[in-house]
Amino acid sequence: MNDLHINGDRLWSSLMELAKIGATEKGGVKRLTLTDLDKQGRDLVTGWARDAGLSITIDQIGNVFMRRDGEDNTLPPVMTGSHIDTQPTGGKFDGNYGVLAGLEVVRTLNDKGIKTRAPIEVAFWTNEEGSRFVPVMMGSGVFCGAFTLDHAYAAKDVEGKTVKGELERIGYKGDQVPGQHPIGAYFEAHIEQGPVLEDADKVIGVVPAVMGLSWYDCTVTGMEAHAGPTPMHLRKDAMQVSTRIIQEVVAIANRYPPYGRGTVGMMQVFPNSRNVIPGEVKFSIDLRNVNDALLNTMHEEMLAFVEKTRQETGLGIQIERVSYYPPCPFHPDCVDAVRKATAKLGYSTMDVVSGAGHDAIYAARVAPAGMIFVPCKDGISHNEIEDAKAEHLEAGCNVLLHAMLERAGVA
Ligand SMILES: [Zn+2]
């Protein structure tokens, strides 16, 4: 069994075949969720699944589960999956890799005539990307009860089309009640979407956890005035006060290494004129950490600094938390299964905490879950130039195969 390997060429050609649907001129993919192109992608993948002898169940939010029976079908399935929708300027590998790696695991088991004790399932979840409809990770979110089916159904795109209407239109509104589908264990293989593995020259990332995040909107209110006649000590400069807060965002992140993150990525300056002292500045704050207690400490320090700055400067400062996702530690049994499979296969490896969201976060709320990362070129994702090496994708798929076999058992 230790010699069991997937077919890397077949995995690669399936990835390239699926990437033709919605292919962009720059070599990426634009296959937004619940569009005609998404339907074509879904039809292709489910067609491959039927060819591989899998039975297919679709739930009411359009999540698709492709099942290979085990020896004991009363056992909950060992599942793997990801998503096949993409960003408007997306790549070939984000999500698609996890789904097709699952399919390749099944094809390999078929080739070798291996029966597992528990069933194996390959899933793809609806609207992971959140580009056409919010919220992101919609299908897996409804599945685990993070929000309701009606909430998801009512989401509209910019043209006013709803999720429910589009699911019906493309024929992927199934019958199963979301969540009424047991999972014994869940694994997700994914490109890293960051530069850590490539930088360290490692092939497999074992993912112990996904970072939590805390998002804020901050508004500093001062007074517009002429940049020339107004002496420095008589100004109420919203920009100068904002930069103090922005420096503190970075300082807070640096106080909680190695996983503290602090980012200000969006800013609006009013009136945004070269010779006017800014009267109002609005900006976003994004704080992250892998440990919930540390993330909370970062939150408290942020609020305390804003309060101190308000008192020292006399300017109006409003800060509001607009989003919070707690860190998601993965299940030790699943993390171990990935670690063991990697060691058995002899790949170079390191632990990589995920800074991005994945369907596995929601799956982890209802089942033991774990993830496998492989490097992507320059750490770039959500971009048409997203790229990954066939040998790395193959290695990740081999790890997936052996981790799933450990959990499912061989009959
Ligand atoms: Zn993804």
Side-chain angles (χ1 to χ4, degrees), residues 42 75 79 177 252 282 314:
R42 286 167 174 258
L75 292 171
M79 186 184 286
V177 175
I252 288 173
K282 292 175 186 264

Side-chain angles (χ1 to χ4, degrees), residues 296-316:
N296 265 310
T297 304
M298 292 167 71
H299 168 76
E300 295 297 336
E301 291 186 6
M302 193 70 246
L303 297 189
F305 185 84
V306 164
E307 184 52 39
K308 180 170 147 258
T309 308
R310 188 186 289 124
Q311 283 170 15
E312 282 175 9
T313 64
L315 266 64

Side-chain angles (χ1 to χ4, degrees), residues 24 44 64 95 189 215 238 245 287 296 309 313-314 351 353 358-359 399-400:
T24 63
L44 180 64
V64 175
W215 281 358
I245 297 170
L287 297 178
N296 265 310
T309 308
T313 64
D351 282 14
V353 166
H358 295 289
D359 293 309
V399 171
L400 178 67

Side-chain angles (χ1 to χ4, degrees), residues 276-291:
V276 180
I277 298 162
E280 185 180 80
V281 176
K282 292 175 186 264
F283 54 96
S284 60
I285 299 174
D286 174 323
L287 297 178
R288 301 186 191 218
N289 211 312
V290 75
N291 172 302

Side-chain angles (χ1 to χ4, degrees), residues 33 85 125-131 133-139:
T33 193
D85 66 318
W125 307 96
T126 295
N127 185 27
E128 193 273 347
E129 295 289 4
S131 178
F133 299 105
V134 286
V136 298
M137 303 187 291
M138 179 179 275

Side-chain angles (χ1 to χ4, degrees), residues 57-72:
T57 304
I58 305 173
D59 74 9
Q60 292 166 334
I61 189 64
N63 296 321
V64 175
F65 305 98
M66 304 174 284
R67 178 182 174 99
R68 184 178 191 267
D69 280 344
E71 182 190 47
D72 181 354

Side-chain angles (χ1 to χ4, degrees), residues 79-388:
M79 186 184 286
T80 187
S82 196
H83 58 95
I84 59 169
D85 66 318
T86 77
Q87 290 285 331
T89 54
K92 302 182 190 79
F93 304 101
D94 177 4
N96 296 285
Y97 169 56
V99 177
L100 296 183
L103 186 65
E104 178 53 37
V105 165
V106 165
R107 286 167 164 173
T108 302
L109 296 176
N110 287 352
D111 287 350
K112 310 286 178 186
I114 294 168
K115 192 149 189 88
T116 52
R117 259 201 301 281
I120 296 278
E121 289 196 10
V122 183
F124 56 86
W125 307 96
T126 295
N127 185 27
E128 193 273 347
E129 295 289 4
S131 178
R132 184 180 176 201
F133 299 105
V134 286
V136 298
M137 303 187 291
M138 179 179 275
S140 52
V142 171
F143 185 90
C144 84
F147 37 86
T148 65
L149 181 63
D150 285 343
H151 178 71
Y153 273 172
K156 286 185 180 148
D157 70 2
V158 289
E159 293 173 8
K161 291 179 179 158
T162 65
V163 164
K164 188 178 183 193
E166 289 297 89
L167 272 170
E168 283 167 345
R169 189 182 66 80
I170 68 165
Y172 275 88
K173 182 171 161 285
D175 294 329
Q176 191 171 58
V177 175
Q180 301 291 308
H181 193 109
I183 304 177
Y186 178 84
F187 293 96
E188 184 165 345
H190 208 284
I191 55 167
E192 184 200 338
Q193 303 185 287
V196 175
L197 284 171
E198 188 178 72
D199 182 61
D201 199 19
K202 305 286 188 196
V203 175
I204 298 293
V206 177
V207 188
V210 179
M211 286 183 193
L213 67 82
S214 211
W215 281 358
Y216 310 82
D217 284 343
C218 190
T219 304
V220 178
T221 309
M223 176 70 81
E224 295 101 281
H226 198 299
T230 318
M232 298 310 281
H233 71 286
L234 293 178
R235 297 176 175 214
K236 290 182 177 171
D237 186 336
M239 177 61 86
Q240 287 307 313
V241 173
S242 297
T243 60
R244 285 203 209 180
I245 297 170
I246 293 165
Q247 288 305 311
E248 183 64 13
V249 168
V250 175
I252 288 173
N254 282 330
R255 279 203 289 279
Y256 299 97
Y259 296 115
R261 305 276 190 270
T263 306
V264 175
M266 208 168 73
M267 179 178 261
Q268 292 170 293
V269 182
F270 300 96
N272 206 27
S273 174
R274 183 186 299 272
N275 55 356
V276 180
I277 298 162
E280 185 180 80
V281 176
K282 292 175 186 264
F283 54 96
S284 60
I285 299 174
D286 174 323
L287 297 178
R288 301 186 191 218
N289 211 312
V290 75
N291 172 302
D292 203 28
L294 291 184
L295 185 57
N296 265 310
T297 304
M298 292 167 71
H299 168 76
E300 295 297 336
E301 291 186 6
M302 193 70 246
L303 297 189
F305 185 84
V306 164
E307 184 52 39
K308 180 170 147 258
T309 308
R310 188 186 289 124
Q311 283 170 15
E312 282 175 9
T313 64
L315 266 64
I317 310 177
Q318 285 188 321
I319 184 165
E320 185 193 355
R321 177 140 85 173
V322 291
S323 258
Y324 170 68
Y325 284 94
C328 168
F330 285 126
H331 197 283
D333 292 352
C334 289
V335 176
D336 268 6
V338 172
R339 210 183 290 288
K340 265 197 237 163
T342 306
K344 187 163 78 177
L345 293 159
Y347 297 124
S348 62
T349 181
M350 67 187 292
D351 282 14
V352 181
V353 166
S354 176
H358 295 289
D359 293 309
I361 296 173
Y362 282 144
R365 294 194 186 179
V366 294
M371 289 191 79
I372 301 157
F373 277 174
V374 294
C376 55
K377 189 168 184 289
D378 301 324
I380 301 288
S381 180
H382 285 190
N383 189 319
E384 291 163 276
I385 64 166
E386 177 187 280
D387 201 5

